Amino acid sequence: MTSSAAPDPTASDPAALSPRLPSPLQEVADGRFARHGLRLLLKRDDLIHPELTGNKWRKLAPNLKAAAGRTVVTFGGAWSNHLRATAAAGRLLGLRTVGVVRGQELADRPLNPSLARCAADGMRLHFVDRTTYRRKSEPETLAAVLRGIGAEEPYVVPEGGSNTLAVRGCRTLGQELGGHADVVALACGTGGTLAGLAAGLPPGPRVLGIPVLKGGFLTADVEALQESAFGARRGTWSLDERFHFGGYARVTPELDAFAEDFTGRHGVPVERLYVAKLLYALVALADEGAFARGTTIAAVVTGSPFPARP
């Protein structure tokens, strides 16, 4: 996937896709919150764009612009929302994309629906073994991976899209929510959205992150992202590590039933890997008395259920 033609630096401007910004803020009447004297708002980032939904838009847009027409190389697992969003962006903007996928063993298997979507959108999939994938941020390992891909002068976006540009891009989410909520809550993967959101909020509100991966590493990662983007830790934020349901891409029958019930109550499609875990956590925390009566909570709907289109 190399080309002798010079890239078109205007091809990668996502503003041409007409995002819906600011995204809507929707209040929902839910007795599980009302009985504790709480208001629940949904920040509908899933409605920003039909294919580049939620925090994927906010994180990818500045990176796609910086790519200036170069091949975009990024990383993810077999069910990565980030890979799908990057592939869709490539198709919509005419950009070449390569997805480095964790798990060499997957190369000889039929593509799952998520990776099949990436391929259908024009993304070239490059599978690497799990040891190499874990070391992908090391300069020598990354250089070897890029040599194997063979793309000329690619633009590299990290796993989950969380880098300095992405974090700065997510500040607008905090700015849009300023004055609307006392607590802003969101599910977290790599932490970039939380890092930018917390920096963009005015003084007063706090941010609650619900990690969807096990490991307890995210506090340090968010602090590092804020240090890189802003020079220091910014905003008032914390994490509750109890609601990952076994780790990334793990969905239990209990969580699935909860998501179906929430959709039935409010007509809001609930994405399972992130948003369902966030909403489940908020109901549990409300029952625990974690929020004072009179608190307004804004839950960020960071994406749509997959598949999002035919």
Side-chain angles (χ1 to χ4, degrees):
M1 187 180 294
T2 60
S3 173
S4 59
D8 177 3
T10 66
S12 53
D13 188 352
L17 302 181
S18 302
R20 184 182 181 183
L21 292 170
S23 60
L25 190 61
Q26 174 186 352
E27 182 166 3
V28 294
D30 193 309
R32 294 170 294 186
F33 294 89
R35 68 170 174 255
H36 299 293
L38 308 173
R39 292 176 66 218
L40 178 65
L41 310 177
L42 301 181
K43 179 62 169 165
R44 297 294 304 275
D45 265 20
D46 58 317
L47 301 178
I48 288 177
H49 187 276
E51 295 188 68
L52 300 182
T53 63
N55 62 341
K56 302 309 176 189
W57 173 276
R58 295 186 189 272
K59 292 198 289 185
L60 274 175
N63 278 288
L64 295 171
K65 190 169 184 178
R70 289 175 285 169
T71 298
V72 175
V73 176
T74 194
F75 302 81
W79 292 95
S80 170
N81 293 329
H82 170 67
L83 286 185
R84 290 200 308 274
T86 304
R91 173 176 55 80
L92 292 167
L93 295 170
L95 286 171
R96 295 183 296 272
T97 60
V98 180
V100 180
V101 183
R102 179 180 62 246
Q104 180 63 47
E105 71 277 6
L106 301 175
D108 298 323
R109 300 177 185 173
L111 297 179
N112 69 25
S114 184
L115 293 177
R117 170 69 59 79
C118 293
D121 279 341
M123 174 175 275
R124 179 154 65 95
L125 301 175
H126 181 78
F127 298 88
V128 299
D129 64 84
R130 293 171 186 270
T131 299
T132 298
Y133 192 90
R134 283 194 297 271
R135 300 175 61 185
K136 62 187 178 299
S137 60
E138 299 174 7
E140 290 185 2
T141 301
L142 176 60
V145 170
L146 294 178
R147 284 195 300 271
I149 291 170
E152 296 178 359
E153 299 183 357
Y155 182 85
V156 179
V157 179
E159 181 179 30
S162 291
N163 59 9
T164 298
L165 284 178
V167 170
R168 291 173 179 165
C170 288
R171 281 181 300 184
T172 58
L173 176 56
Q175 292 162 359
E176 291 172 22
L177 283 165
H180 293 288
D182 305 299
V183 176
V184 178
L186 74 163
C188 305
T190 51
T193 305
L194 185 151
L197 162 62
L201 276 172
R206 64 182 177 94
V207 181
L208 172 63
I210 305 298
V212 301
L213 291 84
K214 295 190 295 184
F217 57 85
L218 199 58
T219 296
D221 286 359
V222 174
E223 288 177 340
L225 286 166
Q226 290 194 323
E227 179 74 29
S228 173
F230 311 118
R233 179 167 172 146
R234 293 285 185 88
T236 302
W237 57 269
S238 62
L239 303 174
D240 192 320
E241 306 270 359
R242 296 178 293 159
F243 299 99
H244 52 69
F245 281 82
Y248 184 71
R250 300 291 180 87
V251 178
T252 66
E254 180 186 12
L255 184 66
D256 194 57
F258 172 87
E260 289 289 341
D261 176 72
F262 194 94
T263 296
R265 290 173 184 244
H266 306 299
V268 176
V270 177
E271 186 271 337
R272 299 302 199 262
L273 306 188
Y274 289 85
V275 180
K277 295 178 181 182
L278 165 67
L279 296 171
Y280 184 100
L282 290 178
V283 170
L285 288 165
D287 285 341
E288 290 175 6
F291 309 112
R293 296 187 70 85
T295 297
T296 297
I297 305 165
V300 182
V301 181
T302 48
S304 302
F306 175 73
R309 63 177 172 85

